[in-house]
Amino acid sequence: MDLDLQLYSVRTDLAVEAKEMAQGPQKMPIPGVNEEVEESDGIKVTRLGVANAAGSQAIGRAIGNYVTLEVPGLRDGDTGLQQRVSDVFAREFEKFMTKIGIGKDSSVLIVGLGNWNVTPDSLGPLVVENSLITRQFYELVPDQVSPGYRNVSAIAPGVLGLTGIESSEVVQGIVDRTKPDVIIAIDALASRSLERINTTIQIADIGIHPGSGIGNKRRGLTQEILGVPCIAIGVPTVCYASTIVNNVLEMMKKHFGGEGAAHTKEIMGLLDEISEQERLALVKEVLEPLGHDLIVTPKEIDEFIEGIANIVASGLNAALHDAVDPGNVGAYTH
Amino acid sequence: MDLDLQLYSVRTDLAVEAKEMAQGPQKMPIPGVNEEVEESDGIKVTRLGVANAAGSQAIGRAIGNYVTLEVPGLRDGDTGLQQRVSDVFAREFEKFMTKIGIGKDSSVLIVGLGNWNVTPDSLGPLVVENSLITRQFYELVPDQVSPGYRNVSAIAPGVLGLTGIESSEVVQGIVDRTKPDVIIAIDALASRSLERINTTIQIADIGIHPGSGIGNKRRGLTQEILGVPCIAIGVPTVCYASTIVNNVLEMMKKHFGGEGAAHTKEIMGLLDEISEQERLALVKEVLEPLGHDLIVTPKEIDEFIEGIANIVASGLNAALHDAVDPGNVGAYTH
Amino acid sequence: MDLDLQLYSVRTDLAVEAKEMAQGPQKMPIPGVNEEVEESDGIKVTRLGVANAAGSQAIGRAIGNYVTLEVPGLRDGDTGLQQRVSDVFAREFEKFMTKIGIGKDSSVLIVGLGNWNVTPDSLGPLVVENSLITRQFYELVPDQVSPGYRNVSAIAPGVLGLTGIESSEVVQGIVDRTKPDVIIAIDALASRSLERINTTIQIADIGIHPGSGIGNKRRGLTQEILGVPCIAIGVPTVCYASTIVNNVLEMMKKHFGGEGAAHTKEIMGLLDEISEQERLALVKEVLEPLGHDLIVTPKEIDEFIEGIANIVASGLNAALHDAVDPGNVGAYTH
Amino acid sequence: MDLDLQLYSVRTDLAVEAKEMAQGPQKMPIPGVNEEVEESDGIKVTRLGVANAAGSQAIGRAIGNYVTLEVPGLRDGDTGLQQRVSDVFAREFEKFMTKIGIGKDSSVLIVGLGNWNVTPDSLGPLVVENSLITRQFYELVPDQVSPGYRNVSAIAPGVLGLTGIESSEVVQGIVDRTKPDVIIAIDALASRSLERINTTIQIADIGIHPGSGIGNKRRGLTQEILGVPCIAIGVPTVCYASTIVNNVLEMMKKHFGGEGAAHTKEIMGLLDEISEQERLALVKEVLEPLGHDLIVTPKEIDEFIEGIANIVASGLNAALHDAVDPGNVGAYTH
């Protein structure tokens, strides 16, 4: 009964990464994909739209809207920066909802995916714990709810190994009974790049797709399945050992003069010439038979996860409820 | 938005207590209620059957089967005793399932009610964490499941204040989708008696009724609602301050010579004469306006809850899966 | 080897309670004890000075200074109130240090007494976790420490049952080596009154005395033993079942017309006439042989302890470091 | 005040690794270093003696005794294997104590180094939590201690960043006051090799040396400093990103035909030819300026740490107390 039920995806879930890979080093524009970048104060916001099938095919991402916050400084645990990221996240999330047509009165079900016993996988449940929940008041005393709040409920459905039930089944059961207008699903992702771990947050309106990222969400949480829109918030918290190796070989190439430079070739042999995909395949070919393509996370993961969960939960509370603003948002999280 | 949504019941959930109250000090037999008591090695097992409406009305409990384990020694944290209680619980639980017609192949959904952030209310979620879950194997690789296991899934639905959704709604959503043959719901109870806290376990086939015990399970988990049988496992973990006072006044009466003795009357005045119900009402009348009828739990609750959760989870694992026995049951709990 | 090493004291540690008991209902002034009371916005501050041996004997407390914050509203979990209590605590603690001659440059060792595995006993360790620690900078890069900070270290020495070592021995070993100018010891106390649990904070300059309060601090943390002043911060988090009963009988007396009223006597018999001490002895006589004089704590203890630990740690951080003020204090606690 | 006080060593703490590096691929014997290897049932035990200065210099390890358990299968979380490893560890630890002259009656202080808030660094504190502590009985009721037990105390001194006090100062203070005969210090290590993480346990009688492994134990815990022998138990729980890259490049070399093979050279260029040390330096040169030489740990670290802490604590309990044996050892750990 010792079955490995986990299927890991090696794809990245970050649309900005997928776009960069598709563009190549020349950074050519991609038809059907539009992009808006804004950077200030150490926070880079990229708003990406995949407008049609051509764009979708080009970058291998579903048609939809993607917003990414990249904040390398988050790794240093600066509390002031965390507060600013939370504010930017709240503002972007509000804009995002408006853009995709989610009104101020829409009721929301927050879904915290992942396993609360596995620190790098506990982001979703932690956000749920720190979200401001109001649905009970709308159900029980609807006429006493103060203005400025929205109907919000939340669930951390657990993972298949803990419950024996797919997350998506739990969520569908709840959606059938409670009829929210929109789902917001929070999930920890696997990154294609060491430097994105715990420094990047992605918002997307395409839901959670089977087999994307790491883990067991095979049936997915999408509008097709659930009948309501599903906004996914993802943060990379782990990567594969092979990813690290591949990243470093890429950095080496740059370090030694770039691809094709004589010096690079001398030092790195064919490792310089082959494509990133081929090189990754090579690294995996070496590591996997030994069982060494471990999924790893930074040593400081406990603190990182707590920090990011706080950013996301505070940001959601401010974005979802007009009555919550940066001055009082701390009162709702732990 | 500071509403008190919690409605606490002052009734006891333990059928043995209800029966004792109905019998009075003379311990008269009650028509429609049959009882079997077995005691050995510090563990008292009472099997109570409420056979008909007369019995039900007499003790104020639904028609059904009730098994109670009373183990005063559990308060001392003896590891050997815990193991024996777990074995007895497993044996009684198996008998109970057989008696009410649950077959070896019935699939089970374990529901851990309560709030994992409130130690005395975290029994249900802790049992879920330590249960041996197998449904995923039956779903994904049904032909590879070893004999001796049963299809078991589990969920801790949280509480209304954390999720905005009634536990019963979450459970019904899951039952609709996963179609288990039987529900086993674990819950922490409020006790009518200080001495029962953390020393008593009740098994009953009547489900969880709205408003019974402590907390927010207003819609209940019953066969009528869920469409499948629901076995409830309850352990008292808290009591009211008023309960303690009332208990002590009762003990005082005995201490001074019993009800009606001149000495008792002299010392306790009318407190001796009035009925237990009246006295409790009196104590509540004094405490409530001051906001002092606190719900309390023993100082050592962290350790008690862990011990009892282990007993129940180990017992369930052994009772539900033939392949699990006392020799290997430890391997499945933390 | 199943020895009970715990010796519980039934005395109260709160000087305000001791004074009230000594004063009796007439509230007579006590020679050698002076008192200043200030109340605003739901926070009552009592500054008590025990000036001489007469005062000390009268109330059974050591000569010294005692400040008590009483905030019944803390039981309702109001975040705004918590912030205000933290501010008042910081202000009172600063005044207290000035009054007893602790200068701005004195180095401090914070000692978090108690058992982190027992929720109601975990206050001290939680405060240590949330204190702003700086001694390492003074040791390693003394010339780089910004102005506005003080040299602060902290330790949670554990309890005898976990370490095999008296807390006081651990602390003395550290004091011998690190030579702090003053000790601040935080401890959870047993209360004589149900209503004080989690709503009262006491500051005193008399250290921790052997056998006072609950638990195993037999050798004590006092200036005589440690060679440096020891300020004790105590919060009642538990009480005895007998305390609750006694409290309620007292409330009953008031409820029925007060002591000696004919009505009271009729209802409560001798329970009305005997002194509080006698009545408590009576209750204990009834409960103890049954092993039922449990130490209990409110059901919501997890949340209470977190709230109070936050108040004390934020308050200490602001009081000890000039650079920390109400606006930024949150950045230092979790 | 945002100083980085952490100094990380890139050396390995495992003597078997140091020896392998010194031996080179030809596995030449090293004068002054003797070795005994035993392997059975998936558990490889290596007993290494560094007998003299020549041996010490050759492998860069202090003169002393080193026992290493290597158990690759631990990564799979097999409970039966964990039990066997615990038994082997207990047996080896007992032999080790006898060999270095620690008698049955020697009193022991267990020191759990590391930070309980950082999962991969929490091994030491977790072992302390699960150790059977008896010193309090020897102090308070020496004539009532059953035979078969030894005087054991334990402390988790925290880390400099949490307490402001070096671990070694805390320990020395306690040693001065409690006079144990021997110290057993448990610590999490950084590994030179991905595959050793959470699968290797080292016992050594050389104490903890300043700057060895990861972290802040600069003053060390050695016989010279403490005046009593110090046995160190270490488990690698993290490694550097650069270590992973270097490991993989090594595996690649083997994969492509070994060092110097034409094929290897073609593919890997100079990366094939340079020494392991040079290659590691190269990788660090690439990673460090980018701040990307992260210390990482496997995603499943929570479960691994719990498993290893249980193995070490159970093993220590059985090795230190004759009255504890494999049949009852479970009763003492959580």
Side-chain angles (χ1 to χ4, degrees):
Chain A
M1 202 140 147
D2 195 356
L3 306 172
D4 186 358
L5 291 168
Q6 293 200 290
L7 297 167
Y8 295 108
S9 157
V10 295
R11 289 163 24 215
T12 173
D13 271 313
L14 294 176
V16 286
E17 287 189 352
K19 195 218 62 179
E20 280 169 16
M21 286 175 73
Q23 285 183 311
Q26 290 77 25
K27 312 230 169 212
M28 303 286 288
I30 300 174
V33 175
N34 52 67
E35 187 183 29
E36 230 180 85
V37 180
E38 215 172 90
E39 184 154 11
S40 105
D41 233 357
I43 305 172
K44 180 176 171 188
V45 178
T46 306
R47 300 183 203 92
L48 211 69
V50 178
N52 54 34
S56 169
Q57 202 160 3
I59 71 165
R61 299 283 110 195
I63 293 174
N65 297 284
Y66 301 82
V67 174
T68 310
L69 276 66
E70 293 171 84
V71 196
L74 275 181
R75 191 164 289 150
D76 305 328
D78 170 347
T79 314
L81 179 59
Q82 287 189 8
Q83 185 55 55
R84 281 188 291 120
V85 177
S86 182
D87 295 347
V88 173
F89 176 80
R91 207 177 56 218
E92 291 295 329
F93 197 84
E94 263 196 271
K95 273 196 231 168
F96 191 89
M97 287 196 299
T98 306
K99 179 165 190 175
I100 67 172
I102 312 291
K104 289 261 175 230
D105 292 333
S106 306
S107 62
V108 167
L109 170 65
I110 300 176
V111 174
L113 296 166
N115 185 342
W116 44 79
N117 294 327
V118 173
T119 306
D121 201 20
S122 63
L123 177 69
L126 278 175
V127 171
V128 163
E129 286 276 314
N130 286 290
S131 293
L132 175 58
I133 303 305
T134 57
R135 180 176 174 272
Q136 67 272 37
F137 304 106
Y138 286 86
E139 291 291 303
L140 299 174
V141 287
D143 49 337
Q144 292 175 39
V145 181
S146 316
Y149 292 95
R150 178 199 293 265
N151 183 323
V152 174
S153 54
I155 192 89
V159 294
L160 188 59
L162 290 180
T163 63
I165 312 168
E166 298 274 3
S167 307
S168 61
E169 283 181 294
V170 175
V171 174
Q172 287 174 60
I174 292 169
V175 169
D176 290 348
R177 300 200 71 87
T178 67
K179 311 280 182 210
D181 296 321
V182 60
I183 308 292
I184 300 174
I186 294 103
D187 201 8
L189 310 174
S191 177
R192 227 193 85 246
S193 144
L194 193 54
E195 70 215 66
R196 286 202 197 277
I197 293 184
N198 303 317
T199 64
T200 303
I201 306 172
Q202 176 179 275
I203 307 165
D205 62 352
I206 59 158
I208 304 275
H209 283 269
S212 69
I214 199 167
N216 291 306
K217 296 109 203 175
R218 262 145 307 174
R219 296 201 199 167
L221 297 176
T222 60
Q223 179 147 15
E224 295 73 54
I225 292 171
L226 299 169
V228 291
C230 178
I231 303 177
I233 299 175
V235 177
T237 64
V238 298
C239 71
Y240 284 82
S242 53
T243 297
I244 294 178
V245 176
N246 205 30
N247 278 194
V248 172
L249 291 176
E250 193 65 30
M251 291 178 205
M252 272 191 188
K253 275 171 55 172
K254 292 198 186 113
H255 188 76
F256 296 133
E259 189 167 325
H263 191 53
T264 313
K265 171 140 188 57
E266 182 192 3
I267 295 171
M268 298 185 63
L270 279 174
L271 291 176
D272 170 43
E273 288 170 33
I274 58 183
S275 76
E276 185 170 350
Q277 302 284 30
E278 285 170 310
R279 204 175 52 221
L280 183 59
L282 182 65
V283 173
K284 291 188 153 295
E285 187 186 320
V286 171
L287 279 172
E288 279 176 356
L290 303 170
H292 289 163
D293 197 5
L294 295 182
I295 300 176
V296 298
T297 192
K299 173 176 177 272
E300 301 81 359
I301 185 66
D302 304 83
E303 198 183 340
F304 283 151
I305 283 282
E306 207 189 315
I308 287 275
N310 220 39
I311 287 170
V312 174
S314 303
L316 279 182
N317 290 343
L320 295 178
H321 306 286
D322 282 349
V324 178
D325 62 45
N328 64 12
V329 70
Y332 302 99
T333 59
H334 301 305
Chain B
M1 204 141 146
D2 195 356
L3 306 171
D4 186 0
L5 290 167
Q6 292 200 291
L7 299 166
Y8 294 108
S9 156
V10 294
R11 288 163 26 214
T12 174
D13 271 314
L14 294 176
V16 287
E17 287 188 351
K19 195 218 64 177
E20 279 169 17
M21 286 175 74
Q23 283 183 314
Q26 289 77 27
K27 312 234 168 206
M28 302 286 288
I30 299 174
V33 176
N34 51 66
E35 186 184 29
E36 233 180 82
V37 180
E38 217 173 86
E39 184 154 11
S40 103
D41 237 355
I43 305 172
K44 180 175 170 188
V45 178
T46 306
R47 299 183 202 93
L48 211 68
V50 178
N52 54 35
S56 171
Q57 200 160 5
I59 71 165
R61 297 284 110 195
I63 293 175
N65 297 284
Y66 301 83
V67 173
T68 310
L69 275 66
E70 293 170 84
V71 197
L74 275 181
R75 189 163 290 151
D76 306 327
D78 170 346
T79 314
L81 177 61
Q82 288 189 7
Q83 187 53 58
R84 281 187 292 120
V85 177
S86 181
D87 296 347
V88 171
F89 176 80
R91 207 177 58 218
E92 290 295 328
F93 197 83
E94 263 196 270
K95 273 196 232 170
F96 191 89
M97 288 197 297
T98 306
K99 180 165 187 177
I100 65 171
I102 312 292
K104 289 259 174 234
D105 292 335
S106 307
S107 62
V108 167
L109 171 64
I110 300 177
V111 174
L113 295 166
N115 185 341
W116 43 79
N117 293 328
V118 174
T119 306
D121 202 21
S122 64
L123 177 70
L126 278 176
V127 171
V128 163
E129 286 277 312
N130 285 288
S131 293
L132 176 59
I133 303 306
T134 56
R135 180 175 173 272
Q136 67 273 41
F137 305 106
Y138 286 86
E139 291 291 303
L140 299 173
V141 287
D143 50 338
Q144 291 175 41
V145 182
S146 315
Y149 292 96
R150 178 199 296 263
N151 183 323
V152 174
S153 54
I155 193 88
V159 294
L160 188 60
L162 290 180
T163 63
I165 312 169
E166 299 273 2
S167 307
S168 61
E169 283 181 293
V170 175
V171 174
Q172 287 173 59
I174 292 168
V175 168
D176 289 350
R177 300 198 72 87
T178 67
K179 311 283 182 208
D181 296 320
V182 60
I183 309 291
I184 300 174
I186 295 103
D187 201 8
L189 311 175
S191 177
R192 228 194 83 244
S193 144
L194 193 54
E195 69 213 70
R196 284 200 200 279
I197 293 184
N198 302 318
T199 64
T200 302
I201 306 171
Q202 176 178 277
I203 307 165
D205 61 353
I206 58 157
I208 305 275
H209 284 270
S212 70
I214 199 167
N216 292 307
K217 297 109 202 172
R218 263 141 310 171
R219 295 202 200 165
L221 297 175
T222 59
Q223 180 146 13
E224 293 73 54
I225 293 172
L226 299 168
V228 290
C230 179
I231 304 177
I233 299 175
V235 176
T237 65
V238 296
C239 70
Y240 284 81
S242 53
T243 298
I244 294 178
V245 176
N246 205 29
N247 278 195
V248 173
L249 292 175
E250 193 65 30
M251 289 178 206
M252 272 190 186
K253 275 170 59 172
K254 289 199 188 112
H255 188 76
F256 295 134
E259 188 168 325
H263 190 53
T264 312
K265 172 139 186 56
E266 182 192 3
I267 297 171
M268 299 185 61
L270 277 174
L271 291 176
D272 170 43
E273 286 168 36
I274 58 183
S275 76
E276 186 170 349
Q277 302 285 32
E278 286 170 310
R279 206 175 50 222
L280 183 58
L282 183 64
V283 172
K284 291 187 152 297
E285 187 187 318
V286 170
L287 280 172
E288 280 177 356
L290 303 170
H292 288 163
D293 197 6
L294 296 182
I295 301 176
V296 298
T297 191
K299 172 174 178 272
E300 301 82 0
I301 185 66
D302 303 82
E303 197 184 341
F304 282 151
I305 282 284
E306 205 189 316
I308 286 274
N310 219 38
I311 288 171
V312 173
S314 302
L316 279 182
N317 290 344
L320 296 177
H321 305 287
D322 282 350
V324 179
D325 62 44
N328 65 11
V329 70
Y332 301 99
T333 59
H334 302 305
Chain C
M1 203 145 143
D2 195 355
L3 306 172
D4 184 359
L5 290 169
Q6 292 201 291
L7 299 166
Y8 294 108
S9 158
V10 294
R11 289 164 24 214
T12 173
D13 272 315
L14 294 176
V16 287
E17 287 188 351
K19 196 217 62 175
E20 280 169 17
M21 285 174 74
Q23 284 185 312
Q26 289 77 25
K27 311 232 170 209
M28 302 287 287
I30 299 174
V33 176
N34 51 67
E35 189 186 26
E36 232 179 84
V37 180
E38 217 172 87
E39 185 154 11
S40 104
D41 233 357
I43 305 172
K44 180 175 171 189
V45 178
T46 307
R47 301 182 202 93
L48 211 68
V50 178
N52 54 35
S56 170
Q57 202 160 3
I59 71 164
R61 297 284 110 195
I63 293 175
N65 298 284
Y66 301 82
V67 174
T68 310
L69 276 67
E70 294 171 83
V71 196
L74 276 181
R75 190 162 291 149
D76 306 328
D78 169 348
T79 314
L81 178 60
Q82 287 189 8
Q83 187 54 57
R84 283 187 291 119
V85 177
S86 182
D87 296 348
V88 172
F89 177 79
R91 207 177 57 217
E92 290 295 327
F93 197 83
E94 264 195 90
K95 273 196 232 169
F96 191 87
M97 288 197 297
T98 306
K99 178 164 190 178
I100 66 171
I102 312 292
K104 289 258 175 234
D105 292 334
S106 306
S107 63
V108 167
L109 171 63
I110 300 176
V111 174
L113 296 167
N115 186 343
W116 45 78
N117 293 328
V118 174
T119 306
D121 201 21
S122 65
L123 175 69
L126 277 176
V127 171
V128 163
E129 286 277 313
N130 285 291
S131 294
L132 174 59
I133 303 305
T134 57
R135 180 176 173 271
Q136 66 274 36
F137 304 106
Y138 285 86
E139 291 290 303
L140 298 174
V141 288
D143 49 338
Q144 293 176 38
V145 181
S146 317
Y149 292 96
R150 179 199 295 264
N151 183 323
V152 175
S153 54
I155 192 90
V159 293
L160 189 59
L162 290 179
T163 64
I165 312 170
E166 298 274 2
S167 307
S168 62
E169 284 181 291
V170 175
V171 175
Q172 287 174 59
I174 291 168
V175 169
D176 290 350
R177 299 198 72 88
T178 66
K179 310 283 181 206
D181 296 322
V182 59
I183 309 292
I184 299 174
I186 295 103
D187 201 8
L189 310 175
S191 176
R192 227 192 84 244
S193 144
L194 193 53
E195 69 213 67
R196 285 200 197 278
I197 293 184
N198 302 318
T199 64
T200 303
I201 306 173
Q202 176 178 277
I203 308 166
D205 61 352
I206 58 158
I208 304 275
H209 284 269
S212 70
I214 201 167
N216 291 305
K217 297 112 203 173
R218 262 143 308 171
R219 294 202 201 166
L221 297 176
T222 61
Q223 180 147 13
E224 293 74 53
I225 292 171
L226 300 169
V228 291
C230 179
I231 303 177
I233 299 173
V235 177
T237 63
V238 297
C239 70
Y240 283 81
S242 52
T243 297
I244 294 178
V245 176
N246 205 30
N247 279 192
V248 172
L249 292 177
E250 193 64 30
M251 292 177 204
M252 272 191 186
K253 274 170 57 174
K254 291 199 189 109
H255 189 76
F256 295 135
E259 188 169 325
H263 190 52
T264 314
K265 173 137 187 59
E266 181 191 5
I267 296 169
M268 299 184 64
L270 279 174
L271 291 176
D272 169 44
E273 287 169 36
I274 57 182
S275 76
E276 185 169 352
Q277 301 286 31
E278 286 171 310
R279 204 174 54 220
L280 182 60
L282 182 66
V283 172
K284 290 188 153 295
E285 188 186 318
V286 171
L287 280 171
E288 280 177 356
L290 303 171
H292 289 160
D293 197 5
L294 294 183
I295 300 176
V296 299
T297 192
K299 173 175 178 273
E300 300 82 359
I301 185 66
D302 303 83
E303 197 184 340
F304 282 151
I305 282 282
E306 206 189 315
I308 287 273
N310 220 38
I311 287 170
V312 173
S314 303
L316 278 181
N317 290 344
L320 295 178
H321 306 286
D322 281 350
V324 179
D325 62 45
N328 64 12
V329 70
Y332 302 99
T333 58
H334 302 304
Chain D
M1 205 142 145
D2 196 357
L3 306 172
D4 186 359
L5 291 168
Q6 292 200 291
L7 299 166
Y8 295 108
S9 157
V10 295
R11 291 163 24 215
T12 173
D13 272 314
L14 294 177
V16 288
E17 287 189 351
K19 197 217 60 177
E20 279 170 17
M21 287 175 71
Q23 284 184 313
Q26 291 75 27
K27 311 233 171 208
M28 302 285 288
I30 299 173
V33 176
N34 52 67
E35 187 184 29
E36 234 180 82
V37 179
E38 218 172 86
E39 184 153 11
S40 106
D41 233 358
I43 305 172
K44 180 176 171 189
V45 178
T46 306
R47 300 183 201 92
L48 211 68
V50 178
N52 54 35
S56 169
Q57 202 161 4
I59 72 165
R61 297 285 111 196
I63 294 176
N65 298 284
Y66 301 82
V67 174
T68 310
L69 275 66
E70 294 170 83
V71 196
L74 277 181
R75 192 163 289 150
D76 306 328
D78 170 346
T79 314
L81 179 59
Q82 287 190 7
Q83 185 55 56
R84 282 187 292 118
V85 177
S86 181
D87 296 347
V88 172
F89 177 79
R91 209 177 57 217
E92 290 296 328
F93 197 83
E94 263 195 272
K95 273 197 232 169
F96 191 88
M97 288 197 296
T98 305
K99 181 167 187 175
I100 66 171
I102 312 293
K104 289 257 174 235
D105 293 334
S106 307
S107 62
V108 167
L109 171 64
I110 299 176
V111 174
L113 296 166
N115 186 342
W116 44 79
N117 293 329
V118 175
T119 306
D121 202 21
S122 64
L123 176 69
L126 277 176
V127 171
V128 163
E129 286 277 313
N130 285 289
S131 293
L132 174 59
I133 303 305
T134 57
R135 180 176 173 271
Q136 67 274 35
F137 304 106
Y138 285 87
E139 291 290 302
L140 299 175
V141 287
D143 50 337
Q144 291 176 41
V145 182
S146 316
Y149 291 96
R150 180 199 293 264
N151 183 323
V152 174
S153 53
I155 193 89
V159 294
L160 189 59
L162 290 180
T163 63
I165 312 169
E166 298 274 3
S167 306
S168 61
E169 285 182 292
V170 175
V171 175
Q172 287 174 59
I174 292 169
V175 169
D176 290 349
R177 300 198 71 88
T178 66
K179 310 285 181 205
D181 296 321
V182 59
I183 309 292
I184 299 173
I186 294 102
D187 202 8
L189 311 174
S191 178
R192 228 193 84 246
S193 144
L194 193 54
E195 70 214 68
R196 285 200 198 280
I197 293 186
N198 302 318
T199 64
T200 302
I201 306 172
Q202 177 179 273
I203 308 166
D205 60 353
I206 59 157
I208 305 277
H209 283 270
S212 69
I214 200 166
N216 291 307
K217 296 111 203 174
R218 265 143 307 170
R219 296 202 200 165
L221 296 175
T222 61
Q223 181 147 15
E224 295 73 53
I225 291 172
L226 299 169
V228 291
C230 179
I231 304 177
I233 299 175
V235 177
T237 65
V238 298
C239 71
Y240 284 81
S242 54
T243 298
I244 294 178
V245 176
N246 206 29
N247 278 193
V248 172
L249 292 175
E250 194 64 31
M251 291 178 205
M252 272 191 185
K253 275 169 58 170
K254 292 203 186 106
H255 188 77
F256 295 134
E259 186 168 326
H263 190 52
T264 313
K265 172 137 189 58
E266 182 192 2
I267 296 170
M268 298 186 61
L270 278 175
L271 291 176
D272 171 42
E273 287 168 35
I274 58 182
S275 76
E276 185 169 350
Q277 302 286 31
E278 288 170 308
R279 203 175 53 219
L280 183 58
L282 183 64
V283 173
K284 290 186 154 297
E285 189 186 318
V286 170
L287 279 172
E288 280 177 356
L290 304 171
H292 290 162
D293 197 4
L294 296 183
I295 301 177
V296 298
T297 191
K299 172 175 179 272
E300 302 82 358
I301 185 66
D302 304 83
E303 196 183 342
F304 282 152
I305 282 282
E306 205 189 318
I308 287 275
N310 219 38
I311 287 170
V312 173
S314 302
L316 279 182
N317 289 344
L320 295 177
H321 306 286
D322 282 351
V324 179
D325 62 46
N328 64 12
V329 70
Y332 301 100
T333 58
H334 303 304

